[in-house]
Structure formats: structure tokens, C-alpha cells
Amino acid sequence: MPATPQAWVEVDLDAYRANVRALAARAPTAQLMAVVKADAYGHGLVPVARAAREAGAGWLGVATLEEALALRAGGDEGPLLCWLAAPGADFAAAARCDIEVTASSAEQLAEILAADAVPRIQLKVDTGLGRNGAFGDQWGELVSAAVDAAAAGARLTGVWSHLACADEPDHPANDAQEARFRDAVDDLRAAGLDPGLRHLANSAALLTRPSAHFDLVRAGIATYGLPPDPAMPHDVPLTPVMTLRARLAAVKRVPAGQGVSYGYQHVTERETTLGLVPIGYGDGVHRAATGRAEAWVRGRRVAVVGTICMDQMVVDLGDLPAERGDVVTLFGPGGAGEPTAVEWAQASGTIAYEVVTGLGGRIHLTHTDDPGRSR
């Protein structure tokens, strides 16, 4: 990273470890899988995975085989599951690297078994989300194929599914999906198969639905200190892990009536100081937050004004004695009063998941790490 970067993300690995431990304590009868797909939700795949293991996560979870192979290349050797593969995936590489894969249909199971070396396989049932997994009659076909595969020596190690409405704890779909999952487990047992590791709960169900914990819980967004939904109540202490900062590239005094940025969507009401922040939608900051977001400069919240551009945005500093090079915090944990990723999501009309995973471009990624502090 340059000595003085224009914009950077700070990832607090101590806070991440503390979050993982707090979540594991909420599900004491289950193992915990830390989900680190999508570059650990934008937080940095290998450093975050290492911190998850240090905090006691028995499993790591990723979407794609490429992500799983990157973890192995980065030195991870523990239990690891991936679950999303189009036809042509290199399942033999998964076997060589001791990566567990997911079969979501009889057809996909056959493709996995055709690999030169068969990896350990978990079965996915679609209990009502309508995405991946065997649904309806497909599940019976997958169970039958799994019986034949097991007889031929395949290593079947688990069964799982994913909830659609867990961030709404009272939604009737939660009961229906859990019941369907239990039925799917019974189907495997009735066919003479050991279901192995059973898992259904995501972050929201981990926090609010103990009946869905089973043998393992998959903690994703909550490990990064962000709520699955801001309106969902829970009492687990979690700290947001990511802080987004930049340095003011320019500061200028302007009169009342001055238009700001493209289209003059903002016109100053009085004489004020404007600060130029060298970050924009080319770096993953949502243009939709135009006129609604805030930032933190010199211990005070300031408005983001004018249209957010590809490379830059403008903040109204009022009469703050700001200077070029001053640090601007777009979002952080919120403890000092700065905006949070949840607030930026609300300003952008989206969810915090998208705010943190979408950052990139010219933003530098850094990690603060003091393992002794949180142990």
C-alpha cells in the first residue's frame, strides 16, 4: 500500500475474532462455519480466514471452488466446504486439496463422481428458497443416486439447506423450511444413509432460531459485525469490522448559490467549505447515496452533497477548519459517532452486504491485527 493512500479500508481482525467467538457461544451445541465467500464479504479472504480459524471456527465456507482453492493456496488446511459449481468444475482438484463439495442434483452428483478422484460430498436440498438444491422429485432422485454412490465407495458427509426468511423470525416460511429439512434428513436415514453433518442456520437463524442449529451453523454477515437485517432484534454483542476512509484531495470556500457536481442536484444555501473526497462509484460507493449519505470529518458528521461521481464525491464541511489531506471516514463501527455501513446502505436503498462486498477499484485493503488483545 502507498505510504499515503487516497482511500483505504481498515479491517479490524480483533473485532472479527471477537464476533466469531460471540456467535459460537450462541450456538454451543453446534460447530461454527465462518463464511468467507466473495473475498470474505470484501474484507480479504486469506487474512479473515486465518482469523476465523484462530477464533475457533471449525469450518470455512465459500461459494466457488476457485475460492476454496485460493484458501488452500493461502495455507488453510482445515475443513472447508464450497457449494456453487457450474458444469465443468474441476472436482478432481477439490479432492486433491481435501475440499468438500456440494451436490444439488443427481446430475451434479454424477459429474462429481466422474472426477478422477472423488472428493467428500454433501447433499443440498431446496427446502423452499428456490435457488440451488434438489427440489421436490429431484430430492428423491438425488437420494437414490446417493445410495448408489455410497455403495460404490463415495464419501457422503453431510446434508444442508438454506433459509429464505430467517431475518424475519416470525415468518411462517421458517417453520415450513425447517420441517422440510427434517423430512429430508429422515429420507436419507430411511434410504440407509448416514446424513452426516446437518446444517440449516445462517447468521439470522443462528441468532434467533436455536431449533435450526443442528450440527453446524453457517455464520456469514454477522461475523463481520453487521446485522442480517437492521430491524431484526438480537442480544449478541457484535462490532462492525470494516472502516472505509479517504483523504481530502481538495478544500475550497464557496459562496451561497454555488452548484455542486453534475446536474447541480445540490446548490449551497450559504457560504461554506466544500471538501473533495477521491472515491466514487468506480470504487464501489453507491451513486444512489447522492444527497442522503453522511461522512465523518474532524469529529463531526458532514453531508455528502452533489452527485457522487465515478472517482470522487463532495462533502459540505461548513465552517470546519479542514485541510487537504485530512482523513474522512465514510463509515465505520459507529462508536465514535461516525456513520455505519448500515446507514450507507439505507442511504443507497440497499443492504449492508452490498455496501461492504462491492468496494474495490482503487481502494487499498488493510488489516489491523493484535491477536493478544482479543484472546
Side-chain angles (χ1 to χ4, degrees), residues 271-312:
E271 182 182 359
T272 191
T273 300
L274 300 179
L276 185 67
V277 184
I279 186 173
Y281 62 77
D283 307 291
V285 176
H286 290 266
R287 188 174 183 270
T290 290
R292 291 185 285 273
E294 293 181 317
W296 182 258
V297 181
R298 291 198 171 216
R300 201 180 85 183
R301 286 195 179 212
V302 297
V304 176
V305 295
T307 302
I308 294 173
C309 308
M310 185 181 294
D311 315 301
Q312 51 201 288

Side-chain angles (χ1 to χ4, degrees), residues 82-271:
C82 64
W83 49 74
L84 186 62
D90 189 355
F91 292 115
R96 289 193 299 270
C97 294
D98 197 25
I99 296 164
E100 301 208 10
V101 299
T102 298
S104 290
S105 66
E107 180 182 13
Q108 188 173 41
L109 178 58
E111 184 178 1
I112 295 168
L113 296 174
D116 292 337
V118 178
R120 287 195 290 270
I121 305 164
Q122 298 197 22
L123 307 178
K124 186 172 185 184
V125 55
D126 179 1
T127 54
L129 179 59
R131 297 193 321 191
N132 212 5
F135 183 76
D137 292 341
Q138 289 183 329
W139 175 245
E141 296 169 2
L142 179 55
V143 172
S144 295
V147 170
D148 294 338
R155 297 172 291 176
L156 303 174
T157 61
V159 56
W160 66 286
S161 190
H162 196 58
L163 294 166
C165 303
D167 55 357
E168 302 176 58
D170 296 327
H171 198 290
N174 296 317
D175 287 340
Q177 284 196 258
E178 185 176 331
R180 178 67 192 98
F181 182 69
R182 292 179 184 277
D183 288 344
V185 171
D186 290 342
D187 292 339
L188 291 173
R189 290 183 172 134
L193 293 172
D194 180 353
L197 200 66
R198 304 164 301 157
H199 48 113
L200 178 64
N202 54 8
S203 286
L206 187 165
L207 291 166
T208 65
R209 194 174 182 87
S211 63
H213 289 177
F214 293 99
D215 302 313
L216 179 143
V217 291
R218 302 186 305 271
I221 194 68
T223 65
Y224 305 99
L226 298 171
D229 186 297
M232 190 192 82
H234 70 84
D235 58 0
V236 177
L238 300 173
T239 300
V241 172
M242 178 184 287
T243 299
L244 174 60
R245 303 189 197 276
R247 298 181 188 276
L248 289 177
V251 176
K252 65 184 69 176
R253 195 73 177 169
V254 300
Q258 173 65 53
V260 180
S261 193
Y262 291 126
Y264 282 2
Q265 292 192 38
H266 176 80
V267 177
T268 58
E269 296 180 353
R270 59 180 181 83
E271 182 182 359

